[in-house]
């Protein structure tokens, strides 16, 4: 068999193999077998040594044309396989848009956080700062600086989780205000802050008591702050949380850290003031405590009580949420029963 016939045979066999190949690796093997250093065509070309000088270029160019043809066949086959692969992949990735959707299990902020968020937004809008502080507190900041000296009877009013004689779980968030008052630079402007957070009382848990609950306290200190400022501010709180028709009223009360002090009622959001079960027929619901900051509290924070004065208030997000949503057991907020929590979905 002369070299031409050999080449022709290699070509026919290879074209068949190329057409049969199903993947790039097989094709590459074929290419190496044909055109590699030890490939069939290379082998044939080696045999050209024995040809006459006239024959050599002719066989050479024939071999080249076959090599080109096979290279082309290989490229073509590779392209075809690629197109095939893409088509199969697209088919597999087809989305059936008529299939029903899979529900996304989205969570939502805890109802107490929803209430706190609403309060924070309101006060941020009025230029207040939101300040955090430690939940494990010093007696000094939790009591002493709030006009509750060691022997003060009001200290017994709330049973406290003591860690040592000086360290305790804060019973209010007022220690955050005390810490802030101490360092506030009044040459930069008034102090306007709220301090939301967890507080602790040494109580036995029941439907209306939890050893851990939430509080948001507010504090404004500047020159010329009056009780009218306090009332206007609290009216906004009542309207924001219980509806824009709400009114408030203030009754005299007592707190060691404010003088005068007041308990604040909101007109009933259920009956509008007519009297119903929610407001126990009174038309009013007690929602917070407030007052004008006691001069002793200012003095202990290093503030000149002859120049500066202010108001403060404290409210309980737990109580707010219980009232507004008719939750009759404070423990619900801390059990984390998903069926309870999901009732306060913000969707729709
Ligand atoms: C309530 C009402 C209140 C304050 C908290 C306060 C804080 C500073 C100075 C003066 Cl630093 N007052 N906080 C004032 C009045 C009431 O809480 O019902 N608490 C259980």
């Amino acid at each position: 068999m002369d070299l031409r016939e050999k080449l022709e045979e290699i070509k026919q066999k290879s074209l068949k193999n190329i057409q049969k190949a199903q993947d790039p690796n097989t094709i590459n093997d074929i290419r190496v077998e044909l055109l590699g250093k030890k490939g069939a065509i290379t082998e044939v070309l080696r045999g050209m040594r024995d040809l006459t000088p006239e024959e050599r270029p002719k066989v050479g160019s024939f071999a080249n044309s076959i090599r080109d043809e096979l290279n082309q066949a290989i490229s073509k086959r590779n392209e075809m396989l690629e197109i095939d692969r893409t088509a199969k992949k697209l088919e597999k990735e087809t989305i059936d848009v008529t299939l029903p959707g899979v529900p996304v299990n989205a969570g939502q902020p805890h109802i107490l956080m929803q209430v706190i968020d609403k309060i924070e937004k309101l006060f941020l809008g009025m230029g207040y700062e939101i300040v955090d502080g430690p939940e494990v507190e010093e007696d000094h900041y939790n009591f002493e600086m709030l006009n509750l000296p060691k022997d003060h009877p009001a200290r017994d009013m709330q049973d406290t989780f003591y860690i040592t004689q000086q360290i305790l779980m804060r019973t209010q968030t007022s220690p955050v205000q005390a810490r802030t008052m101490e360092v506030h630079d009044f040459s930069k402007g008034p102090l306007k802050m709220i301090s939301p957070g967890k507080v602790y009382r040494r109580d036995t848990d029941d439907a209306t008591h939890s050893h851990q609950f939430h509080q948001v306290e507010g504090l404004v200190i500047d020159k010329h702050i009056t009780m009218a400022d306090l009332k206007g501010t609290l009216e906004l709180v009542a309207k924001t949380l219980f509806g824009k028709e709400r009114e408030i009223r203030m009754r005299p009360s007592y707190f060691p850290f404010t003088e005068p002090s007041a308990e604040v009622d909101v007109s009933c959001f259920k009956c509008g003031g007519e009297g119903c079960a929610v407001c126990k027929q009174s038309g009013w619901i007690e929602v917070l405590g407030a007052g004008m900051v006691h001069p002793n509290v200012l003095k202990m924070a290093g503030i000149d009580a002859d120049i500066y004065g202010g108001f403060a208030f404290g409210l309980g997000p737990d109580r707010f949420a219980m009232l507004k949503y008719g939750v009759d057991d404070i423990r619900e907020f801390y059990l984390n029963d998903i069926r309870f929590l999901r009732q306060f979905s913000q969707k729709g």
Side-chain angles (χ1 to χ4, degrees), residues 146 174 177-178 181 215 217 219 255 257-258 289-291 293 297 312-314:
L146 289 151
S174 12
Q177 335 257 49
M181 277 192 289
Q215 207 192 14
E217 285 201 28
L219 176 70
F255 300 111
F257 24 84
T258 46
V293 179
V297 173
F313 62 87

Side-chain angles (χ1 to χ4, degrees), residues 145-146 158 171-179 181 193 201 213 215-219 221 255-263 286-294 297-298 310-316:
M145 279 193 75
L146 289 151
Q158 56 249 343
T171 58
Q172 310 126 311
T173 62
S174 12
V176 183
Q177 335 257 49
R179 288 171 177 278
M181 277 192 289
M193 65 177 288
R201 298 284 167 89
F213 55 105
Q215 207 192 14
V216 181
E217 285 201 28
L219 176 70
I221 297 176
F255 300 111
F257 24 84
T258 46
E259 182 59 36
S261 303
E263 251 146 49
E286 186 187 328
V287 288
L288 46 86
M292 304 309 287
V293 179
H294 197 291
V297 173
L298 295 171
F311 67 70
F313 62 87
L315 62 85

Side-chain angles (χ1 to χ4, degrees), residues 197-217:
K198 289 188 172 76
V199 297
Y200 301 82
R201 298 284 167 89
R202 212 180 136 192
D203 253 334
T204 304
D205 290 358
D206 62 25
T208 53
H209 298 83
S210 173
H211 63 282
Q212 181 255 270
F213 55 105
H214 290 79
Q215 207 192 14
V216 181
E217 285 201 28

